[in-house]
Amino acid sequence: MANFTKTLLRHSATWSETETTNKEIVGFPEHIVFNWEQGFDVLHFINRYMDYRGWQAEQTFQKIESAIKTRLPFSARTHKDVQQWLDTTFKK
């Protein structure tokens, strides 16, 4: 299981939400809005996504974060939307 920490995040984020809320999310639900500005939301989403893809490299973690922070379309609102966009962006 990917267990990267916030020290690897390169982009700025707010940390006003509690970590526990984001750790409890399983998979990529369609009913939960993804907040790319919240640090724990981004951190735990990327860890889940890396598990889903079987990736483990720190450099890959940072590439995903950078893509989310700089290229994520506004139409990608939910965790499922972001997962599908990343699947298209980072093809195997």
Side-chain angles (χ1 to χ4, degrees), residues 28-45:
F28 307 100
E30 293 182 33
H31 65 282
I32 297 179
V33 175
F34 178 75
N35 186 345
W36 59 270
E37 295 177 319
Q38 283 293 330
F40 287 123
D41 209 358
V42 173
L43 175 65
H44 294 298
F45 179 90

Side-chain angles (χ1 to χ4, degrees), residues 2 5 7 10-12 15 22 24 27-28 31 38 41 56 58 60 62 66 70 72 74 78 80 84 87 90-92:
T5 62
T7 58
R10 292 181 176 176
H11 296 268
S12 62
W15 300 93
N22 293 293
E24 293 172 357
F28 307 100
H31 65 282
Q38 283 293 330
D41 209 358
Q56 299 175 354
E58 289 180 7
T60 304
Q62 291 172 330
S66 189
T70 63
L72 183 68
F74 289 115
T78 67
K80 187 68 170 177
Q84 291 173 338
D87 283 349
F90 292 95
K91 294 183 180 185
K92 284 189 177 179

Side-chain angles (χ1 to χ4, degrees), residues 8-88:
L8 285 177
L9 294 173
R10 292 181 176 176
H11 296 268
S12 62
T14 57
W15 300 93
S16 57
E17 288 184 5
T18 63
E19 185 173 15
T20 0
T21 305
N22 293 293
K23 275 188 167 183
E24 293 172 357
I25 297 172
V26 176
F28 307 100
E30 293 182 33
H31 65 282
I32 297 179
V33 175
F34 178 75
N35 186 345
W36 59 270
E37 295 177 319
Q38 283 293 330
F40 287 123
D41 209 358
V42 173
L43 175 65
H44 294 298
F45 179 90
I46 296 173
N47 278 325
R48 282 195 318 276
Y49 188 76
M50 297 220 14
D51 282 343
Y52 158 75
R53 293 299 293 258
W55 295 337
Q56 299 175 354
E58 289 180 7
Q59 188 176 26
T60 304
F61 176 92
Q62 291 172 330
K63 284 182 181 180
I64 293 169
E65 179 207 5
S66 189
I68 287 171
K69 290 290 199 163
T70 63
R71 300 187 321 217
L72 183 68
F74 289 115
S75 60
R77 305 259 312 132
T78 67
H79 283 242
K80 187 68 170 177
D81 294 338
V82 177
Q83 178 243 332
Q84 291 173 338
W85 178 78
L86 287 171
D87 283 349
T88 303

